[in-house]
Amino acid sequence: MSKKLHNDISLLSLLLLLSLSLLQTILAVEYTVTNTVPDTPGGSRFDAEIGVQYTINTVKTINQFIWKVFKQNSDAQRKHVPVLTVNITELNDGALGETGGDTIYISAMGIQSFPPGQARFEFTSLMYHETTHIFQWSGQGTAPGGLTEGVADYIMVKSKYYDPGSYTKPGEGNKWDEGYGVTARFLEYCDGLRDGFTADLNNKMREVYKDEYFEELLGKPLDQVWSEYKAKYANI
């Protein structure tokens, strides 16, 4: 091999590595946290017991956990979120947390209501749920709201940051898309029928949601899956 050819290959390799590094930098998520109400009881408790740095570190961990559970191993599979913002603020609708765009809003009053000594645990549990809303697919808004809430709770349950004693039990609920714990437990059941079902369902919902996805993945219509699920726990 000539010296010129060797140098050309080395230069090409260097440019490729630089390009990959630049691409990773472009697609990396930046995390910002702002306490907009530091003088309120909840805002003050956030600063004293949780803190900005803990929140940033926690959201990074949650982000990686979500990608792992969703089996999204490449940037092409993931929702592109350049900047994820967390605002500690006042929510006037009674919610503990909400999302809008790529921003998570956490209620300062909610933080104030956390049991003594449990602020970080309760906050982290809430962040698993809300961060999932940022990164999950929802069929561009066509998925039932109860399903997206159920997927968010499903991630929270997988993380173990929840209270099993007070949480929804398998088989509870009246509709598969009732949301939160009811739907999360149903999704767990579906995982038992097909390993990785919830991740596969989420990834199918990138563009649109269809009930038919259940039959495609499980070989049974959605109504039948729900009926069999309810029957399994009928006498418990």
Side-chain angles (χ1 to χ4, degrees), residues 105-137:
Y105 302 93
I106 300 297
S107 166
M109 290 182 64
I111 293 174
Q112 179 61 18
S113 72
F114 292 156
Q118 293 294 309
R120 284 196 172 185
F121 182 90
E122 296 288 344
F123 180 80
T124 303
S125 175
L126 179 59
M127 288 302 298
Y128 267 99
H129 179 100
E130 298 301 337
T131 306
T132 302
H133 283 317
I134 300 294
F135 291 100
Q136 69 185 155
W137 296 115

Side-chain angles (χ1 to χ4, degrees), residues 215-228:
E215 187 162 9
E216 290 176 17
L217 293 170
L218 300 176
K220 305 175 184 179
L222 172 55
D223 289 346
Q224 181 180 344
V225 178
W226 173 252
S227 295
E228 292 176 355

